[in-house]
């Protein structure tokens, strides 16, 4: 368990650094830590997806994928450290002068932490629901055979007619296998207990990014995150409910790329629309 937590912290650190690098390149350093974490995480996941397609297409072994991931993370992290330098770990903060506002912010952050902790406890206590997802089986089979899509994860038998390209495009089980191979973490505990917590952090960060794109900031953004976490906590735990899938199937490609990625992607046109509106408004004022 500890090794799994460590490897996730390492990956999250690299994701944040990559996000800060992208912010620096796009001159968006003021976007904040949540934006950097979300941007870096999805950038790495997309790069891993492309690498997996190449490795599978060339019939290369799992070790190529594993050390390829490690090399990409190391290269991007040190690139971020060289380019961003001292600003890598700095988080843009506004000066809050009023003491009452400071106390209110602290109380809101405390409530957010409590609700997040409650959601995390539900992840660890409730039995994960798998449905038709085979992330654990596929990751365990990959680790046991050191091959990609050669053995059926349910039966262990060698595949004769191959696997469809759509199935091979799901790079998440192999990504989890790489993290387990690098850390020695137990596959089941890692995917069912730790990855959903990481997915929840990524999801809440994406919610914060979307709120920022709407122009929500400061205390209002904290209140929005508080409300969102409360909805997750009481939002239903039957099969198919959003809160249920997010908390207990946080390792699923549908949750990470559709639920969380959807919010992150929606933030882009919202930001562009607000920027265009501000430009038009400014132009009208000048005239």
């Amino acid at each position: 368990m500890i090794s799994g937590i460590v490897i996730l912290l390492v990956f999250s650190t690299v994701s944040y650094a990559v996000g800060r690098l992208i912010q620096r390149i796009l001159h968006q350093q003021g976007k904040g830590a949540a934006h950097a974490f979300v941007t870096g995480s999805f950038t790495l996941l997309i790069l891993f997806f492309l690498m997996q397609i190449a490795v599978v297409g060339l019939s290369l072994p799992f070790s190529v994928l594993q050390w390829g991931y490690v090399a990409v993370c190391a290269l991007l992290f040190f690139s971020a450290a060289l380019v961003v330098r001292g600003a890598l770990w700095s988080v843009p903060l506004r000066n809050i002068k009023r003491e009452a506002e400071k106390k209110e912010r602290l109380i809101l952050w405390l409530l957010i932490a409590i609700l997040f902790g409650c959601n995390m406890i539900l992840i660890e206590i409730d039995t994960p629901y798998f449905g038709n997802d085979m992330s654990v089986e596929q990751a365990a089979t990959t680790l046991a055979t050191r091959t990609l899509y050669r053995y059926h994860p349910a039966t262990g038998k060698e595949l004769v007619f191959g696997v469809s390209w759509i199935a091979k495009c799901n790079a998440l089980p192999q990504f989890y296998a790489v993290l387990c191979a690098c850390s020695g973490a137990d596959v089941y505990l890692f995917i069912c207990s730790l990855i959903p917590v990481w997915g929840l952090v990524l999801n809440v960060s994406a919610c914060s990014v979307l709120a920022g794109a709407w122009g929500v900031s400061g205390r209002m953004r904290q209140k929005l995150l508080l409300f969102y976490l409360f909805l997750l906590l009481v939002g239903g735990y039957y099969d198919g409910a959003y809160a249920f899938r997010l908390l207990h199937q946080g390792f699923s490609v549908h949750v990470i790329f559709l639920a969380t990625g959807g919010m992150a992607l929606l933030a882009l046109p919202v930001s562009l629309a607000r920027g265009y509106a501000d430009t038009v408004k400014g132009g009208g004022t000048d005239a």
Side-chain angles (χ1 to χ4, degrees):
M1 180 67 75
I2 295 178
S3 61
I5 294 174
V6 170
I7 196 67
L8 274 180
L9 289 176
V10 170
F11 175 73
S12 299
T13 301
V14 175
S15 298
Y16 174 78
V18 171
R20 295 292 283 168
L21 175 62
I22 295 174
Q23 287 179 341
R24 178 65 176 270
I25 294 173
L26 299 178
H27 303 290
Q28 299 288 327
Q29 294 95 322
K31 289 292 186 179
H35 182 275
F37 177 60
V38 172
T39 302
S41 295
F42 279 102
T43 298
L44 287 177
L45 290 176
I46 291 172
L47 286 176
F48 293 166
F49 160 75
L50 295 176
M51 287 179 61
Q52 171 162 319
I53 295 300
V55 170
V56 171
L58 296 173
S59 300
L60 299 174
F62 171 71
S63 58
V64 175
L65 190 70
Q66 176 183 349
W67 297 114
Y69 283 5
V70 173
V72 168
C73 287
L75 178 62
L76 290 176
F77 179 80
F78 287 113
S79 297
L82 289 174
V83 174
V84 184
R85 296 183 181 178
L88 181 60
W89 307 113
S90 64
V91 178
L93 296 173
R94 294 183 177 181
N95 294 324
I96 304 174
K97 297 181 179 180
R98 293 194 306 165
E99 193 65 28
E101 186 176 349
K102 288 183 179 180
K103 291 181 179 180
E104 183 181 359
R105 292 278 191 95
L106 289 175
I107 293 173
L108 288 174
W109 279 122
L110 178 61
L111 292 174
I112 289 172
I114 291 173
L115 281 181
F116 184 89
C118 291
N119 281 290
M120 188 172 66
I121 290 173
L122 285 175
I123 292 174
E124 304 303 331
I125 291 179
D126 290 358
T127 302
Y129 175 82
F130 291 96
N132 294 323
D133 196 287
M134 299 186 73
S135 297
V136 175
E137 288 82 354
Q138 185 62 61
T141 303
T142 299
L143 285 173
T145 62
R146 308 296 293 184
T147 60
L148 298 174
Y149 298 107
R150 184 177 172 184
Y151 298 90
H152 194 286
T155 64
K157 294 182 179 180
E158 190 168 4
L159 298 170
V160 178
F161 298 105
V163 179
S164 66
W165 273 98
I166 294 179
K168 291 180 180 180
C169 285
N170 184 6
L172 287 179
Q174 280 66 49
F175 168 59
Y176 303 147
V178 168
L179 294 181
C180 289
C182 292
S183 64
D186 178 77
V187 177
Y188 181 85
L189 289 176
F190 184 76
I191 294 179
C192 296
S193 297
L194 296 182
I195 288 296
V197 175
W198 171 79
L200 181 62
V201 174
L202 186 63
N203 183 264
V204 175
S205 298
C207 180
S208 178
V209 171
L210 182 57
W214 280 332
V216 180
S217 60
R219 289 173 294 174
M220 286 304 299
R221 186 184 298 198
Q222 288 178 294
K223 293 175 181 177
L224 178 62
L225 292 178
L226 192 63
F227 178 66
Y228 181 67
L229 285 168
F230 180 75
L231 284 181
L232 292 181
L233 189 63
V234 300
Y237 294 98
Y238 56 89
D239 179 18
Y242 173 70
F244 185 96
R245 288 184 60 85
L246 179 62
L247 295 181
H248 302 295
Q249 290 182 298
F251 50 81
S252 170
V253 64
H254 297 91
V255 172
I256 293 178
F257 279 99
L258 296 184
T260 300
M263 284 197 293
L265 191 62
L266 181 60
L268 180 59
V270 171
S271 296
L272 293 176
R274 287 190 67 248
Y276 176 75
D278 292 340
T279 302
V280 172
K281 183 178 179 180
T285 302
D286 293 339

